[in-house]
Amino acid sequence: MKKHDLVYLTEDASHDAAIEIINEEAFGPGRFTRAAARIREQGPHDRSLSFICTDNGETIASVRMTAVTAGSVRGHLLGPLAVRPSHKNKGIGRELVRIAVEAARRKGSEAVILVGDPPYYQPLGFEKVRYGALEFPGPVDPARVLVVPIATGVYTRLHGVIAWRDDGIESEGAIGASREVAA
């Protein structure tokens, strides 16, 4: 049995090539046509809230967070979340989600939103958004739109357009060197 040396780190620009490979493996070329991708292409993701997992120094998983406005809620869009096939079903994706949501909470995000499978994400604290409450820049299955409400009153304000929000972040070198995250 192979021993894993898993380390969770804040993403930096040096991880971009490995993350691209991981996302390609997980989602294929169709990943660029998804509604959430339309939001992410509007501006850079927030590296301070985006994380990777390494195993013996190799990047094997990633989660990214993008600042968004969803109706009048100032939140973050979680995704893509991807784990290399060799490391699936080990809890790595769940741990990356936990780390990212907690980081967003500390940064003052009002909510973390995603488009994903409810059976996977609901045990991680995500709840279904009211059917059709958010308008994405492309087709999306409303039953897959989920949220972790962080601020009070999120549900009453979580309706309307969801779009990238300029949060004053820089896309390259926003953090500098990676830092290890307490797992």
Side-chain angles (χ1 to χ4, degrees):
M1 182 170 189
K2 182 181 178 197
K3 181 183 182 301
H4 295 284
D5 184 20
L6 301 178
V7 178
Y8 295 87
L9 302 167
T10 304
E11 176 193 317
D12 68 34
S14 72
H15 302 119
D16 286 348
I19 291 169
E20 181 57 30
I21 292 167
I22 293 166
N23 287 330
E24 184 176 3
E25 286 176 342
F27 304 110
R31 68 191 179 280
F32 298 115
T33 64
R34 296 177 178 202
R38 301 278 73 84
I39 294 168
R40 290 191 286 269
E41 70 187 8
Q42 295 171 13
H45 64 284
D46 186 340
R47 287 196 199 272
S48 73
L49 298 180
S50 300
F51 301 92
I52 62 145
C53 179
T54 66
D55 185 6
N56 294 312
E58 175 191 0
T59 301
I60 52 93
S62 164
V63 66
R64 285 182 164 168
M65 296 276 267
T66 302
V68 295
T69 302
S72 64
V73 173
R74 294 174 56 85
H76 288 85
L77 181 68
L78 186 141
L81 167 67
V83 179
R84 304 239 24 206
S86 59
H87 287 75
K88 286 188 177 286
N89 301 313
K90 297 182 185 332
I92 295 166
R94 290 186 297 279
E95 182 63 9
L96 283 169
V97 169
R98 186 196 68 75
I99 291 167
V101 169
E102 184 54 37
R105 184 184 319 276
R106 285 192 310 270
K107 192 168 182 174
S109 183
E110 293 184 300
V112 175
I113 303 157
L114 62 78
V115 179
D117 295 324
Y120 180 84
Y121 288 101
Q122 285 177 322
L124 304 177
F126 285 83
E127 304 166 6
K128 288 187 177 183
V129 171
R130 190 178 75 247
Y131 190 87
L134 293 176
E135 299 170 34
F136 282 77
V140 67
D141 178 354
R144 292 172 42 88
V145 180
L146 306 172
V147 64
V148 170
I150 297 172
T152 57
V154 164
Y155 284 107
T156 60
R157 298 181 295 120
L158 197 62
H159 61 88
V161 173
I162 181 168
W164 180 79
R165 170 172 53 88
D166 184 355
D167 209 16
I169 60 169
E170 298 174 26
S171 62
E172 295 299 321
I175 298 178
S178 294
R179 62 182 174 84
E180 193 165 329
V181 179

